C-alpha cells in the first residue's frame, strides 16, 4: 500500500490534474452507488450489475490520457470507464434500467452499453469478449492515419481467456496503437487471483509477447495517470502496451453476491485501498482544495447522480414494436415474427 | 423410498452427489463450482464432501475446460465440465464438436469420451443477448454428442444420473428459470429410460412436442385448451439425442395434427428438425402442416418485455393451437 | 464486357481485387493470405498489388482473427477475414455469434459490423473429420449473420462483390471441390440480386432446392431424370440468409413435390429448415412429404469411399427423385 | 548451430543412449520418406501429409524419457513422435493410406492417428486442438496416483492459439504432471516464426505462467534427451514444464507445398541442422559405432520401412458397412443412413 510519503512525493507531479481526477472518480463512485440503489428499488433490468467501486482510479487515471477519437472496449464492470470517457449518466442509468432512453435503447443493459460517438465500441458480457476488437480498431486507426489508439479494459479474470494472448501477440507483431488495461481487483467472481493462476504478476505475460508492460498501484490515481501517459504515448507511436492496475473489488461480484468466500478482515483491508479517499486526502494535504470546496463538489455530484434514478424511473421500456428492429441494417427487412408467420401459414392451410 | 419435495436445483445437486459417491472417478470442473458452489448453486458445498481434487475450480478458460474434460474422459475419469452459461458454448465448439464428438469415430472406435458438459440456458433473468440463449441446436446438429434437457425435477435427477453412466459425451442443458421449481418426487422410483420421451398428457386432437422449460408453458396451454374442448397430447422429449421418434410418430398418426414448441431460435433450430421429421414420417396422417412455435430470429434484449416476447409463452402456444384447430374447423 | 473463361477460384480472386480497387477500406486478414497466397490460392499475389497492410498474414489465432475483424468493421474498415476451413468456425463462434451477429442489436442500432468471413467447406479431398465439414447450419441458426454459398463461377464473383457492400456481417462459404471448376462468364452482365435464388432449370414434376456444390450433383441428376420423362425445377439458393422463400413457394405450389439437397449433416441442418418451411407454407399443395437428401449424421472419414458415402451424390439424388415420383405413380 | 566441440563434450553424457536415439531417428526419417512415396504412388488418403523430417530429435529425444502409461497428444506432424513411442509402422502407414488395417481403421488418416495402448490420445488436425487434453490426462494421472505424465507435442504455430495459454495456466496452477513440447521448425505453413510473433523466444511465455521452461537445440538429440530427462522428472513431481525444440522443417508444409516462400540458401542452411546426420557423426566420432554397423542398421531400417508400403498397398479400404460404426459406443444403435430413411419414408408415403 502506498504510504503517506507517496502523497508528498506526488505533489511534484507535473502532468496530472488531481482535482479533475478526483472529480471523475467521485462521479463514478456515486454513480455506481446509485446503480445499486436502482437495483434495490427493483428498477434495474435484471441483477447482473457489476459495480466498479474500488476501481475508480483505473478508469479515471487511464482515461485522462485518452483523446477524442480514441476507441475502447470494456468488460461487464465498465460503467466507470464509460463515465470517465464522457458518458451521460442519465442515458447510462436508463440503459441499466432497460429503458428506451438508454444508450442502446434498452436492449443492451449494463453489460452491453456502447456509444460510437464517444468511441465506446462496447461493453461485453463475455469475459475477454471485447479484447480482440481493439486489434481491428488499431488496424483501422493506422489504416486511416488518425493517430488514435484503441484500448481494451478488462478484469484479471480475463487473463484466463486465450483470446487475450492471441490479441496481445497480434498487437506486438503488428506494432499496433493498442493498450490492454487489466483491472486487477483480485477476484473473478469468488476466485481470488492466486486461485486462478500460479503467477499473479500478470504483466510478465504481456512482456513475454513483446509488449511494454507494467503494474501500477490503483490506490494512487496519479500513478495510474502517469503510467497511462507513458504507455499511451508509446502506443500512439506503435508500441503497444499492457497495464495492470492493482485494486480491490469492494463489494460482491454482482448485486446479489455478498462475497461469503472472503473474510471480513480481508475485506476491511482491501477497502482501505480506496482511491477516492486517497485522492481526497491528497488534495487536502497538498492544499489543492479545501474541505468545503470538496464537500460542495461532492454534493453537486450526489445531486447529479440522484437525478439519474429519477430520470430512469420516468422513462419507458422500449416498445414491443422495436423488438425486430436492428437485427439487420435499417434498409433491410426485419425478421418475420413467429406469430405473423403462424397466422400466415394457418390462414393458408 | 420416501416422497420428498425437491427443487430442480436440489435434484441436480443430489444427482451429482449420488454419482460422485458411487463412482470415485466422477469429478466436476468449472468456474466457481467449488468454493462458490456454482453460479446457480447446483454444486453448493460439494467441495466440502468431495474436496478440491474432485470439485475443481478453474480459471475462466472455457475452451480449455472442455478440452481438459475430453482428456480426462479419455484417460479414465468421468468429468462433469460445467459451462456457466450455454451462451459460452461458442468458444468451446472446437473442443466439443471437433474433438469430443469425433474422437471415437476418428480413432476407429478405440475409445470414447464419457464426459458430461453441464450448462444452463434460456431466458428469464433479463440477462441480455449473451446470457439468455437456447443454443441446443448447435449440439443437436453435431453427430457424436448426446443432448439431454430436463424439464422436470425428476428428470433433472435421473437424466443427470444416467448421463454420468453413458459411454459418449453428453451435453446436459438445464433451464435457468427452472432452478427453483419444486416437485414432490420419489427418487428411488424406476425412472423412464434414457432416450425415451415422456407423454405428459394424452389427447386426441393434437400433439405438442416440446422439452425443457417450454413443457410447462405447453402444459399450461393444454389445460386451457381442454376447457375449450381441445385435448392435446404433450410429449416431453427429455433427450434430443437420442431422439425418441417412435413415440412422436405413434401419437401424431393418431391425432393428425402436431405442433412443436422450442425456445431455440426458429430458423434451422430444433423445431425445424422436429417439424421436418414429423412431416416426413407422418405425412399421410397430417391434416395440417406441423406448426413451429419457437424463439424469434433475433437476439434477446435485456428489457423484460422484449426478452419475454422473444420466446414462446403460454399465450402464444394456446393461441396457435386454437388457430391450428380452428383453421380446419372453420374450413 | 467480353466473355471469359474463369475458374471459381479466379472469380473469387477477381472479386477481391475489384472490391479492393474500388474501396480502399477493404482489407483481407487471415492465415497465409499474403505471402503464401491463401491455402486454396484465392488470394494469390494480392499482396503484390495491395501490400502487406491490406493483405494481412495473421498468426494461427482464429478467435482473435474474427474478433479483430469485428473491431475493424466497427472502426470503419471493410475486413474480409479468411478462415482457412469452415471446420475451424467452432473456435470462433463466440466472436461470430455473440459479437458480430449481435452488436447492432445489443447496441440499439448504433452501428453494424460490415465484415465478410470468407471460408470454404465440404468434402472432396480426403481431408478427414476436421477438414471436410459443412457447418453452414450453425451460421443459419444465428440471427444477425448473413450467409452466402455460391455454386457457380458467376456467383462466386458477384456474391462476394455484393457481400463486400452489405451493412451486416456475411459468412461466405466456398466449396473446396469447386475451386477448379470453369465457366464462361461475362462479369459485367447484370447479376441476379443479392438474396434472390436462381432457378437453374424448370420442370413441372418436382422442385429440388439446393446450394453450393450439391447444385452440380442435382443438375446432373435432373438431366438423367429428364431422360426418364421426369422434369425437375432446380433452385439454387445462393444466399441462405436472406432466404428467398418466395421463389421456392411459387415453384413448389406448382409442382406439388419437393426435395431439398444439402451437404450439411441432416439432423437440425439446413435441409431441416427448408423442409419445415416448405411444408408450413405449401402444405396444401404437397402430394408427398418434402424429402431431405443431406449429409449423414456421422463424422467424415479420411477414406475416400467413406468420405464420398457421407454426403449426397448424383446417384442418391437421382434415385431419391425417382422413388419420390415412383412412389406416387405406383400408389 | 552446435559446433564440433559439442560432439566431443557430449561424449561424457551419462544418461543418453545415442545408438538407440540414432536408430529411432533414422526409423522416423525413413518412415517419413516412405510416406512421401506413398503419396507419389497415389496410395495415400489425400495429400494432407506432414512430414517430420528435420524434427526427429524432438520425437526421439523427448520420448526416450517417457514411460509406459504416460499419455500424449500430437499435432498434424506427429508420425515421428508416435513411432518413437513404439508404434507399429505398418499399422501407421496403413492408416495414412486410409486402410482398414490402420490404427484407426482408415477413418482417421495421417492427422487423426491414435492408440490407446501406447498412450497416444490422438493426433489432431486442429492446430492446438490436442493441447488441453493433457490437462485432463494429467488430472486423471494424479487422481489415480499412477505417477505418469501427459505430454502435448505441437508446432510453433500453435503458440498462436489461445488454448495453449489457458492450458499452461491450468497446468501451473494445479501443478500437474504435464509437459508441453513445442517443436519449433521455424514455420507455420508459409509463415516464418518471426512473422507470427514479435518475441520468438517462445519459452518466456511459459515461464510467465509459472512453468519450468527452456529451449534446446534440436540438432543435438542428446541435448533434447537431457532436457527431457530433467523436465520429465520435474513433471512427475508436479512441476509442469515447457520445452521448445529448435529445428528446421526440411520440406514443404504438406506434400504438395514446394515452399516457394523461402529461398534456396535458407533451406540449405536449414537442412544442415540435421539431427540424424549429426548423431551419426557423433556415433562414429565417439567410437560408439563404426560405419559398417551403421550401414547395416540403416539397411535394416530401409527394409522395414519399405515393407510398410507394400503392406499398405495390399490392404483394403474400410468397407462401407463400417461407415455408421463408432459414431457412438458399440452398444448404442448406429445412426440411420439417409438412404434407409428415405426408403422408409417413401415406402410409407
Ligand atoms: C466467457 C465467460 N465466462 C464466464 C463468465 C461469467 N463471469 C462473468 S464475470 C466473471 C468474473 C470475471 O472476473 P474479472 O475478469 O476479474 O472481472 P471482475 O468481475 O473482477 O471485474 C465470470 C466468471 C462470462 N460472463 N463469460
Ligand atoms: C485451428 C487451425 N488453424 C489452421 C490450420 C491450418 N494449418 C494446418 S498446419 C498449419 C501450420 C501449423 O504450424 P506449426 O504449428 O508450426 O506446425 P508445423 O506444420 O510447422 O509442424 C496451419 C495453419 C489448422 N489445421 N487448424
Ligand atoms: Mg476481477
Ligand atoms: Mg512449425
Amino acid at each position: 500500500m502506498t504510504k503517506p510519503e507517496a502523497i508528498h512525493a506526488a505533489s511534484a507531479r507535473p502532468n496530472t490534474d488531481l482535482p479533475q481526477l478526483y472529480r471523475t472518480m467521485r462521479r463514478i463512485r456515486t454513480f455506481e452507488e446509485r446503480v445499486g440503489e436502482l437495483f434495490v428499488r427493483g428498477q434495474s433490468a435484471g441483477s447482473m450489475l457489476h459495480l466498479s467501486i474500488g476501481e475508480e482510479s483505473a478508469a479515471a487515471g487511464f482515461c485522462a490520457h485518452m483523446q477524442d477519437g480514441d476507441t475502447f472496449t470494456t468488460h461487464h464492470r465498465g460503467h466507470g470507464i464509460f463515465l470517465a470517457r464522457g458518458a451521460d449518466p442519465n442515458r447510462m442509468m436508463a440503459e441499466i434500467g432497460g429503458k428506451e432512453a438508454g444508450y442502446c435503447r434498452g436492449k443492451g443493459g449494463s453489460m452491453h452499453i456502447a456509444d460510437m460517438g464517444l468511441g465506446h465500441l462496447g461493453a461485453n458480457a463475455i469475459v475477454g469478449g471485447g479484447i480482440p476488437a481493439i486489434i481491428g480498431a488499431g488496424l483501422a486507426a493506422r489504416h486511416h492515419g488518425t493517430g488514435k489508439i484503441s484500448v481494451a479494459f478488462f478484469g484479471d479474470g480475463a487473463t484466463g481467456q486465450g483470446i487475450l494472448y492471441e490479441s496481445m501477440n497480434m498487437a506486438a507483431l503488428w506494432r499496433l496503437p493498442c493498450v490492454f488495461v487489466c483491472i486487477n481487483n483480485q477476484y473473478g467472481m469468488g476466485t481470488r487471483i492466486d486461485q486462478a493462476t500460479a503467477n499473479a504478476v500478470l504483466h510478465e505475460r504481456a512482456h513475454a509477447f513483446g509488449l511494454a508492460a507494467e503494474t501500477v498501484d490503483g490506490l494512487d490515481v496519479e500513478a495510474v495517470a502517469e503510467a497511462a501517459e507513458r504507455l499511451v504515448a508509446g502506443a500512439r507511436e506503435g508500441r503497444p502496451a499492457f497495464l495492470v492496475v492493482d485494486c480491490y473489488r469492494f463489494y460482491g461480484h454482482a448485486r446479489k453476491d455478498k462475497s461469503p468466500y472472503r473474510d471480513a478482515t480481508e475485506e476491511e483491508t482491501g477497502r482501505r485501498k480506496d482511491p477516492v479517499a486517497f485522492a481526497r486526502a491528497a488534495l487536502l494535504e497538498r492544499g489543492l482544495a479545501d474541505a468545503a470546496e470538496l464537500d460542495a463538489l461532492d454534493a453537486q455530484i450526489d445531486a447529479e447522480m440522484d437525478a439519474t434514478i429519477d430520470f430512469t424511473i420516468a422513462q419507458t421500456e422500449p416498445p414491443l414494436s422495436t423488438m425486430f428492429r436492428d437485427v439487420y441494417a435499417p434498409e433491410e427487412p426485419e425478421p418475420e415474427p413467429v406469430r405473423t408467420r403462424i397466422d400466415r401459414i394457418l390462414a393458408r392451410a | 423410498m420416501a416422497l420428498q419435495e425437491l427443487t430442480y436445483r436440489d435434484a441436480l445437486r443430489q444427482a451429482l452427489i449420488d454419482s460422485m459417491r458411487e463412482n470415485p472417478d466422477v469429478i466436476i470442473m468449472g468456474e466457481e463450482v467449488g468454493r462458490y458452489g456454482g453460479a446457480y448453486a447446483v454444486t453448493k458445498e460439494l467441495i466440502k464432501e468431495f474436496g478440491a481434487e474432485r470439485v475443481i475450480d478453474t480459471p475462466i478458460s472455457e475452451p480449455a475446460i472442455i478440452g481438459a474434460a475430453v482428456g480426462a474422459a479419455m484417460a479414465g475419469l468421468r468429468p462433469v465440465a460445467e459451462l456457466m452459461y450455454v451462451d459460452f458454448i461458442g468458444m468451446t465448439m472446437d473442443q466439443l464438436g471437433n474433438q469430443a464428438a469425433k474422437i471415437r469415430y476418428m480413432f476407429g472406435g478405440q475409445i470414447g469420451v464419457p464426459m458430461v458438459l453441464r450448462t444452463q440456458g434460456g431466458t428469464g433473468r433479463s440477462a441480455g443477448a449473451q446470457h439468455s440463449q437456447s443454443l441446443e441446436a448447435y449440439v443437436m446438429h453435431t453427430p457424436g454428442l448426446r443432448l439431454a434437457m430436463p424439464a422436470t425435477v425428476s428428470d433433472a435427477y435421473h437424466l443427470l444420473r444416467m448421463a454420468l453412466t453413458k459411454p459418449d459425451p453428453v451435453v446436459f442443458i438445464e433451464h435457468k428459470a427452472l432452478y427453483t421449481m419444486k416437485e414432490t418426487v420419489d427418487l428411488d422410483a424406476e425412472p423412464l429410460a434414457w432416450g425415451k420421451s415422456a407423454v405428459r398428457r394424452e389427447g386426441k386432437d393434437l400433439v405438442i412436442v416440446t422439452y425443457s422449460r417450454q413443457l410447462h408453458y405447453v402444459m399450461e396451454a393444454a389445460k386451457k385448451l381442454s376447457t375449450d374442448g381441445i385435448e392435446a397430447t404433450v410429449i416431453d422429449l427429455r433427450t434430443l439425442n437420442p431422439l425418441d421418434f417412435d413415440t412422436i410418430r405413434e401419437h401424431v398418426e393418431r391425432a393428425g395434427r402436431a405442433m412443436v414448441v422450442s425456445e431455440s431460435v426458429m430458423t434451422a433450430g430444433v423445431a425445424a428438425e422436429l417439424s421436418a421429421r414429423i412431416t416426413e414420417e407422418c405425412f399421410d396422417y397430417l391434416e395440417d402442416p406441423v406448426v413451429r412455435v419457437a424463439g424469434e430470429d433475433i437476439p434477446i434484449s435485456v428489457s423484460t418485455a422484449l426478452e419475454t416476447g422473444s420466446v414462446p409463452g403460454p399465450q402464444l402456444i394456446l393461441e396457435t393451437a386454437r388457430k391450428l384447430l380452428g383453421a380446419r374447423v372453420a374450413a
Side-chain angles (χ1 to χ4, degrees), chain A, chain B:
Chain A
M1 190 151 296
T2 315
K3 299 194 203 74
E5 306 89 82
I7 299 176
H8 220 71
S11 66
R13 291 165 172 183
N15 284 327
T16 59
D17 179 348
L18 188 58
Q20 186 55 35
L21 291 171
Y22 172 76
R23 181 171 176 273
T24 305
M25 291 199 295
R26 183 54 163 74
R27 287 179 77 237
I28 295 171
R29 172 75 48 100
T30 309
F31 180 83
E32 295 289 42
E33 285 167 355
R34 297 300 170 275
V35 171
E37 211 176 308
L38 195 77
F39 168 71
V40 171
R41 292 173 66 173
Q43 296 282 338
S44 65
S47 61
M48 289 193 153
L49 303 171
H50 308 89
L51 307 187
S52 62
I53 294 180
E55 313 177 0
E56 295 88 349
S57 62
F62 197 92
C63 293
H65 291 280
M66 289 178 67
Q67 301 174 353
D68 282 0
D70 290 344
T71 56
F72 63 106
T73 61
T74 71
H75 57 330
H76 55 283
R77 201 178 300 282
H79 301 157
I81 299 152
F82 192 23
L83 271 176
R85 285 301 300 137
D88 169 357
N90 278 335
R91 290 184 66 201
M92 281 186 69
M93 194 63 85
E95 189 57 42
I96 293 165
K99 300 299 177 71
E100 210 192 0
Y103 268 105
C104 302
R105 300 179 189 226
K107 282 177 169 168
S110 164
M111 296 198 293
H112 305 291
I113 210 160
D115 184 67
M116 296 309 127
L118 294 171
H120 191 352
L121 303 182
N124 224 298
I126 299 295
V127 169
I131 295 174
I134 70 162
I135 300 301
L139 285 168
R142 187 161 70 193
H143 188 86
H144 292 132
T146 61
K148 300 302 173 186
I149 62 169
S150 193
V151 184
F153 294 91
F154 50 88
D156 48 289
T159 63
Q161 291 286 357
I163 204 163
L164 168 63
Y165 305 98
E166 300 185 358
S167 302
M168 290 203 295
N169 186 45
M170 288 179 176
L173 176 65
W174 296 330
R175 310 188 117 277
L176 293 177
C178 292
V179 186
F180 299 83
V181 180
C182 176
I183 302 177
N184 182 358
N185 62 9
Q186 313 302 322
Y187 280 87
M189 290 187 70
T191 303
R192 218 174 44 227
I193 180 72
D194 61 298
Q195 295 162 336
T197 190
N199 179 9
V201 187
L202 302 172
H203 74 255
E204 288 181 4
R205 304 174 193 183
H207 198 260
F209 280 95
L211 281 81
E214 55 185 277
T215 296
V216 66
D217 183 353
L219 175 66
D220 180 2
V221 67
E222 289 179 296
V224 178
E226 282 161 358
E229 184 176 25
R230 214 164 36 240
L231 299 178
V232 164
R236 288 200 201 283
E237 285 161 11
R239 291 192 305 280
F242 184 92
L243 177 65
V244 180
V245 183
D246 254 328
C247 44
Y248 190 76
R249 195 190 74 203
F250 278 24
Y251 300 107
H253 167 66
R255 278 334 286 135
K256 282 180 173 170
D257 174 26
K258 301 274 174 278
S259 310
Y261 41 80
R262 52 189 203 186
D263 65 33
T265 335
E266 185 206 296
E267 289 208 334
E268 210 187 288
T269 317
R271 287 188 196 143
R272 261 188 247 133
K273 203 180 173 99
D274 182 338
V276 182
F278 187 80
R280 200 179 209 278
L283 285 173
L284 294 172
E285 165 110 358
R286 290 197 237 151
L288 293 168
D290 64 29
E293 280 166 351
L294 292 181
D295 289 347
L297 175 64
D298 291 356
Q300 182 205 323
I301 291 170
D302 290 346
E304 179 195 13
M305 297 307 171
D306 282 345
T308 64
I309 296 198
D310 302 329
F311 175 80
T312 296
I313 291 174
Q315 299 302 314
T316 52
E317 278 209 40
L320 274 173
S321 65
T322 65
M323 201 164 101
F324 297 88
R325 190 179 298 165
D326 297 323
V327 182
Y328 303 102
E331 63 269 31
E332 306 275 320
E334 291 183 357
E336 187 180 32
V338 169
R339 192 182 293 268
T340 315
R341 194 195 291 194
I342 291 171
D343 287 348
R344 195 163 43 72
I345 290 164
L346 292 179
R348 213 179 270 273
Chain B
M1 239 230 300
L3 286 173
Q4 52 177 327
E5 198 178 51
L6 273 185
T7 61
Y8 185 85
R9 171 187 288 130
D10 290 338
L12 293 162
R13 186 166 171 272
Q14 196 59 47
L16 292 171
I17 290 172
D18 291 350
S19 297
M20 291 182 86
R21 286 185 184 155
E22 203 170 275
N23 182 350
D25 286 335
V26 174
I27 62 159
I28 299 178
M29 53 193 302
E31 295 157 17
E32 308 297 332
V33 296
R35 285 175 298 264
Y36 195 95
Y40 283 91
V42 173
T43 56
K44 194 169 172 185
E45 297 189 351
L46 262 56
I47 197 172
K48 284 200 186 153
E49 175 169 352
F50 302 104
E53 296 274 315
R54 290 184 69 195
V55 184
I56 304 172
D57 279 319
T58 68
I60 309 174
S61 309
E62 284 78 6
I65 293 168
I66 303 306
V70 170
M74 292 179 84
L77 293 178
R78 266 217 166 261
V80 180
E82 179 174 317
L83 195 63
M84 204 183 281
Y85 284 74
V86 75
D87 307 70
F88 311 155
I89 207 168
M91 52 179 83
T92 75
M93 276 307 288
D94 182 69
Q95 286 298 320
L96 192 61
N98 276 337
Q99 314 295 341
K102 295 184 171 63
I103 277 173
R104 185 190 291 279
Y105 192 85
M106 292 191 300
F107 299 162
Q110 288 184 62
I111 194 159
V113 184
M115 63 179 273
V116 173
L117 188 165
R118 256 197 68 234
T119 188
Q120 58 77 29
T123 54
R125 297 200 57 218
S126 284
Q130 295 172 341
H131 279 66
S132 308
Q133 296 169 88
S134 296
L135 298 178
E136 57 268 24
Y138 292 160
V139 178
M140 196 186 193
H141 183 58
T142 308
L145 299 178
R146 300 303 192 182
L147 174 57
M149 297 188 69
T152 67
V153 172
S154 164
D155 277 350
Y157 179 81
H158 290 296
L159 290 176
L160 186 49
R161 290 281 277 153
M162 292 189 265
L164 274 163
T165 65
K166 292 292 147 193
D168 296 306
V170 179
V171 178
F172 190 94
I173 311 181
E174 301 153 17
H175 197 294
K176 64 169 70 59
L178 295 182
Y179 284 122
T180 54
M181 179 184 65
K182 279 186 185 153
E183 222 177 82
T184 303
V185 289
D186 175 359
L187 296 184
D188 293 325
E190 187 64 24
L192 208 56
W194 174 261
K196 274 284 171 206
S197 60
V199 180
R200 299 290 181 196
R201 189 183 190 292
E202 287 203 64
K204 60 179 186 353
D205 299 315
L206 163 76
V207 177
I208 311 182
V209 183
T210 189
Y211 58 95
S212 190
R213 198 240 316 235
Q214 293 292 328
L215 170 67
H216 304 283
Y217 291 165
V218 168
M219 291 298 281
E220 197 180 323
K223 220 177 279 172
K224 293 209 179 120
L225 283 171
S226 179
T227 66
D228 294 359
I230 299 171
E231 296 300 340
T233 291
V234 176
I235 296 177
D236 171 9
L237 291 174
R238 304 172 71 244
T239 59
L240 282 75
N241 181 351
L243 181 70
D244 173 14
F245 197 78
D246 290 337
T247 301
I248 299 176
R249 184 191 296 108
E250 185 195 321
H251 285 87
V252 174
E253 285 184 359
R254 219 177 292 153
R257 282 188 184 91
M259 246 170 80
V260 297
V261 181
S262 159
E263 198 161 323
S264 91
V265 151
M266 182 178 278
T267 298
V270 172
E273 174 59 29
L274 295 172
S275 166
R277 192 115 194 233
I278 294 172
T279 309
E280 283 166 0
E281 308 239 2
C282 312
F283 187 74
D284 282 350
Y285 297 85
L286 287 177
E287 317 231 359
D288 285 291
V290 180
V291 177
R292 290 186 279 172
V293 183
E296 301 288 354
D297 283 324
I298 63 174
I300 289 161
S301 295
V302 79
S303 141
T304 317
L306 267 54
E307 180 191 28
T308 311
S310 302
V311 297
Q315 192 57 26
L316 179 62
I317 299 165
L318 177 67
E319 285 168 24
T320 305
R322 280 191 184 138
K323 283 176 199 158
L324 178 58
L325 276 110
R328 285 296 152 170
V329 175

